[in-house]
Amino acid sequence: MEYENRETFFPPSNRCKRCSCLDGSVLCLDVVCPPVTCSEPVTKAKACCPECPVCIHHGKQYEGGSHWVSAVNPCHTCTCTWGEVTCLEPECDVTCQHPAQIPGQCCPVCRDCYFEGNIYSNRETFKPDACRDCSCKDGDVLCLPVKCPTLSCRQQITKPGSCCPLCRGCMYNGKEYQEGGTWSAPTIPCMTCMCVDGVTTCSAIHCLTPCVNQIHVPGECCPLCADCIYNNRIYSPGESFQPSSDPCEICTCEVMLDGEQHLHCYRHQCPSLVDCPRNLIVAPSPGHCCPSCAQPLSNCTAELLGSELLSSADPCYSCHCKDLTWICIHQSCPLLSCSVSEQFTPAGSCCPICDECVVEAENHRVSDGETWTDSVDECITCSCNLGHIECHIKECLSVICHDGLIKVRSPGQCCYECQDPRISCSYQGQRYQSNQHWEVDECTTCTCISGEVHCQTEHCPPVTCSSVLWNGKSHLEVSLPGTYKGQVCGLCGNFNNYPQDDMRIRSGQIVTSEATFGNSWKVHSNNQSRLLCPDAEDIDPCKQAGYRARKEANAKCKILKSKVFEQCHAVVPPEMFFSSCVYDLCACGSNIDDCLCDALEAYASQCREASLILNWRSPTLCAVGCPSDRGYVFDECGPPCPKTCFNKDVPLGVIDAHCFKPCVPGCQCPAGLVEHESHCIAPETCPKIIYGNL
């Protein structure tokens, strides 16, 4: 090859020689190669010196074997090897299971915790879900399962977002109530509801009245005791106790809105055992009130909405599935007019029924389905429905009379009508004005209506015989033969062996006020010379007498509940007599001992009627002094008709048949003696009697 003068070139045969053409001569020198920094340099073809390979990373050139920090991720260290870039994360010494990544630091630290996508501070507690409780400690996460409380209810649900099941509450009228809660039914007065095992049970409040001094508080269904004292013990607000051996009876001392403390006593309500087979109903254990079911009760599901079930435990409960809750309502039974002995309950039914109704005020019976008009108020129409008397009041239109006419109401008619007052009536020689009323006799009343005389006569039942006994002080007894059973009315009741309905007034309505009851049966006389009997009023003698008198009366009457009369308690419950005793002693004033003896004798008399003779008198308690000098001794159960010289030869059974009591307490002649002129003598010393005369 030919080169120009002063031209430099590398011979093709040896690239490591550098030659120059200088004035026709060639001068060649060895090429000096620069030092390389890489461990494995490369000599390219047609080149003399080795070179390090070059890497391109994110637009920058890096020589082979060089190291650098990535411009994209400062935590990555990159290396150029044979023209290839390799970037590596730093090696971090992490000892915890869930370290936290802190911004600006390449390695995570173990003080905080990274758990399931979230960072938690050291010592922080957290709940990743409803069933785990977790805590972060030095980068480690410790999780424990949630402990659910043991539930006593059988109907349990787990709400969304919750871990533990809850006792299923109840829905009633669109409102949710907690398990075990109680509330008053908003639509029915004096009815309470309770939520047990997801079942709502509603029934009327059963009141208890264990005290004598009762008060009625507005808004309260049951009468309250005037204070929180029972059996001489004072109870504190909120304190409860059982007034008897019945575990279902509860009394609680409550503080009313006026700040006064009163005893509220009631009968505990038991839940309805919906759809529980009778063979699985478990009786209450000692000291407990309500039965239970041995298996879980059926749920009120969406498929059962609108369904109805009858409770196996009590046919009076009817249960409806509503709002996913069984709502059980206790059916209240109507008051029957017939006696208890005539009532019967059909199989599977809740309430007893009768084949006929007894109209007490009119002394007659009517068949089931029969309708009649009330004898006292013509506007009242009644019907007999399986022993229950249902009455309706007719409403009359307003009557306005013109042209001098006046409003009158004809006998037997309910509504008024217009009548000419100038038309009079003549009856038995006397003239009566229009609408004038008069009595013909005690049973017949007449009215002049539009010139006509209308009379009504009350028909009385046939009379056989009756007796009235009075001891001259406080004991009065009216005796009637059995033929009068269910045929009487008035102050002595209706004689149907069911004392609860004796307080009926003339209209047939049952009342609770003694004064209203007594005033209803007053007899009016035409004799104007007699003073009119004023209406009686209900009074509380213990309230008038004061606290000390009531306390003394309670203490003295308490003997009725003591061992002295204990033998008779099971046959004749003493509670009613105790209440009457306290009432009488408060009203007695200074003669409290005499009144106490009368009250105790009244209870002992009922015990004698039940064939229980109590020797309750003592020298310090109602002792009876008999004239021993005339031979008399006291006998708690002596013959009511004593033997005398006049009847000593008559058999005792014949005499007793004419008496009204099997025995009476009092001064008697000892056995073997007879009475004559207020002395006890031997029968053989009696004077001779001729034709009943001495």
Side-chain angles (χ1 to χ4, degrees):
M1 294 181 66
E2 187 175 343
Y3 299 95
E4 296 289 335
N5 186 35
R6 298 186 180 275
E7 182 181 355
T8 299
F9 61 90
F10 293 92
S13 59
N14 189 352
R15 293 289 183 180
C16 290
K17 293 289 185 180
R18 185 177 182 177
C19 300
S20 301
C21 178
L22 183 64
D23 298 328
S25 298
V26 176
L27 179 63
C28 293
L29 298 173
D30 290 332
V31 176
V32 178
C33 293
V36 294
T37 59
C38 56
S39 59
E40 296 179 355
V42 176
T43 303
K44 295 181 180 179
K46 298 180 180 182
C48 171
C49 295
E51 297 177 349
C52 288
V54 177
C55 297
I56 304 300
H57 183 65
H58 289 289
K60 292 182 69 174
Q61 181 175 306
Y62 299 93
E63 292 182 355
S66 62
H67 303 270
W68 70 93
V69 177
S70 173
V72 178
N73 189 339
C75 290
H76 287 183
T77 300
C78 301
T79 304
C80 180
T81 305
W82 295 95
E84 293 184 0
V85 176
T86 302
C87 296
L88 299 175
E89 292 183 353
E91 292 185 4
C92 298
D93 185 16
V94 179
T95 59
C96 55
Q97 187 177 2
H98 300 288
Q101 191 74 41
I102 299 178
Q105 297 187 21
C106 293
C107 290
V109 294
C110 288
R111 191 185 65 184
D112 294 336
C113 302
Y114 180 79
F115 184 72
E116 295 183 358
N118 295 310
I119 297 178
Y120 300 96
S121 302
N122 187 35
R123 301 187 181 279
E124 181 182 354
T125 58
F126 57 94
K127 291 179 71 72
D129 52 55
C131 292
R132 289 183 295 172
D133 287 327
C134 301
S135 61
C136 171
K137 184 177 181 182
D138 296 331
D140 287 327
V141 175
L142 176 64
C143 291
L144 297 175
V146 173
K147 262 193 171 182
C148 295
T150 303
L151 302 179
S152 60
C153 56
R154 297 177 178 178
Q155 302 288 350
Q156 302 178 6
I157 58 171
T158 303
K159 294 184 177 180
S162 299
C163 175
C164 296
L166 301 173
C167 289
R168 183 182 176 194
C170 301
M171 290 294 295
Y172 183 80
N173 279 355
K175 186 177 180 181
E176 185 175 1
Y177 295 90
Q178 292 184 350
E179 170 70 18
T182 59
W183 66 94
S184 298
T187 57
I188 306 174
C190 297
M191 177 175 283
T192 59
C193 301
M194 62 191 308
C195 178
V196 177
D197 282 336
V199 177
T200 296
T201 302
C202 299
S203 66
I205 298 175
H206 295 278
C207 301
L208 299 177
T209 52
C211 54
V212 178
N213 301 319
Q214 302 173 10
I215 61 172
H216 293 271
V217 178
E220 292 286 339
C221 294
C222 299
L224 306 180
C225 297
D227 47 38
C228 286
I229 302 175
Y230 182 76
N231 279 349
N232 293 328
R233 179 183 169 184
I234 301 176
Y235 291 87
S236 304
E239 191 174 0
S240 299
F241 64 93
Q242 293 179 353
S244 67
S245 59
D246 188 347
C248 292
E249 296 183 356
I250 301 173
C251 288
T252 304
C253 181
E254 297 181 351
V255 179
M256 307 306 291
L257 295 177
D258 57 2
E260 296 291 333
Q261 298 179 12
H262 303 299
L263 273 183
H264 181 202
C265 299
Y266 58 94
R267 186 170 181 83
H268 183 74
Q269 176 186 348
C270 290
S272 172
L273 303 180
V274 182
D275 207 23
C276 182
R278 289 187 178 274
N279 60 332
L280 294 179
I281 296 178
V282 181
S285 57
H288 292 77
C289 172
C290 300
S292 59
C293 189
Q295 72 176 16
L297 304 177
S298 60
N299 283 325
C300 169
T301 60
E303 292 77 17
L304 293 176
L305 288 178
S307 301
E308 180 178 1
L309 283 177
L310 292 178
S311 173
S312 301
D314 189 344
C316 289
Y317 277 108
S318 60
C319 305
H320 299 265
C321 182
K322 181 181 179 182
D323 294 331
L324 300 181
T325 301
W326 284 113
I327 299 178
C328 303
I329 305 296
H330 192 280
Q331 177 186 350
S332 58
C333 296
L335 181 66
L336 300 182
S337 60
C338 57
S339 63
V340 176
S341 60
E342 299 178 77
Q343 300 175 12
F344 63 95
T345 304
S349 299
C350 164
C351 299
I353 61 174
C354 300
D355 290 328
E356 58 183 6
C357 295
V358 179
V359 185
E360 302 292 346
E362 300 179 12
N363 297 325
H364 73 278
R365 293 171 175 261
V366 294
S367 303
D368 181 44
E370 186 176 342
T371 302
W372 69 96
T373 301
D374 185 77
S375 60
V376 177
D377 190 344
E378 294 85 354
C379 294
I380 299 178
T381 302
C382 302
S383 60
C384 176
N385 182 14
L386 298 176
H388 173 59
I389 298 178
E390 298 176 349
C391 295
H392 304 278
I393 301 177
K394 179 180 179 181
E395 294 185 1
C396 298
L397 297 176
S398 177
V399 176
I400 301 176
C401 299
H402 302 281
D403 301 328
L405 301 181
I406 61 173
K407 289 195 304 182
V408 296
R409 188 171 66 177
S410 303
Q413 299 296 321
C414 169
C415 300
Y416 284 92
E417 58 185 1
C418 295
Q419 182 186 119
D420 189 347
R422 293 167 294 183
I423 303 178
S424 60
C425 301
S426 177
Y427 182 80
Q428 293 184 351
Q430 292 192 25
R431 179 66 59 179
Y432 297 94
Q433 299 299 319
S434 178
N435 202 35
Q436 185 176 353
H437 306 273
W438 67 94
E439 289 186 357
V440 178
D441 52 44
E442 292 181 350
C443 298
T444 304
T445 59
C446 299
T447 305
C448 175
I449 301 175
S450 299
E452 296 180 349
V453 176
H454 294 258
C455 296
Q456 284 186 317
T457 301
E458 181 180 354
H459 296 284
C460 301
V463 177
T464 54
C465 61
S466 61
S467 297
V468 178
L469 292 180
W470 180 43
N471 68 354
K473 295 174 60 180
S474 61
H475 186 82
L476 176 67
E477 180 178 301
V478 179
S479 300
L480 292 175
T483 54
Y484 273 82
K485 186 175 180 179
Q487 301 294 322
V488 296
C489 58
L491 294 178
C492 292
N494 49 30
F495 194 12
N496 65 350
N497 292 339
Y498 186 62
Q500 287 82 351
D501 65 351
D502 279 342
M503 296 271 287
R504 288 183 182 270
I505 59 177
R506 288 182 182 270
S507 64
Q509 178 186 358
I510 297 178
V511 296
T512 57
S513 166
E514 290 86 354
T516 302
F517 173 66
N519 293 334
S520 168
W521 292 104
K522 287 196 304 183
V523 177
H524 299 282
S525 174
N526 284 335
N527 187 353
Q528 300 298 326
S529 62
R530 296 184 181 180
L531 294 177
L532 294 177
C533 181
D535 282 345
E537 296 181 0
D538 287 315
I539 61 171
D540 184 349
C542 290
K543 186 174 182 180
Q544 294 182 347
Y547 174 78
R548 180 172 296 180
R550 180 179 62 189
K551 184 176 180 181
E552 183 181 4
N554 274 280
K556 286 184 175 293
C557 295
K558 190 178 180 181
I559 191 174
L560 280 169
K561 299 182 179 180
S562 68
K563 289 187 177 181
V564 176
F565 295 93
E566 184 178 19
Q567 183 182 357
C568 188
H569 288 173
V571 181
V572 182
E575 285 77 15
M576 183 181 71
F577 291 88
F578 175 81
S579 299
S580 299
C581 175
V582 174
Y583 184 96
D584 290 346
L585 264 60
C586 285
C588 260
S590 59
N591 297 327
I592 188 170
D593 290 334
D594 292 342
C595 292
L596 175 64
C597 293
D598 289 340
L600 300 182
E601 168 55 30
Y603 182 72
S605 173
Q606 289 298 310
C607 296
R608 287 195 297 272
E609 293 285 348
S611 302
L612 285 175
I613 311 303
L614 303 176
N615 293 312
W616 58 275
R617 298 178 190 266
S618 69
T620 58
L621 180 65
C622 303
V624 178
C626 294
S628 56
D629 56 330
R630 287 183 277 170
Y632 287 97
V633 295
F634 179 78
D635 190 350
E636 187 65 40
C637 186
C641 302
K643 275 201 170 185
T644 66
C645 288
F646 292 96
N647 61 20
K648 63 182 180 65
D649 296 324
V650 179
L652 186 60
V654 175
I655 297 177
D656 288 344
H658 294 84
C659 298
F660 296 94
K661 285 182 175 291
C663 65
V664 294
C667 296
Q668 304 280 347
C669 289
L673 300 181
V674 296
E675 182 179 312
H676 180 64
E677 293 183 350
S678 299
H679 285 75
C680 296
I681 62 175
E684 58 270 17
T685 61
C686 285
K688 187 176 181 180
I689 300 173
I690 302 176
Y691 303 114
N693 296 319
L694 291 176

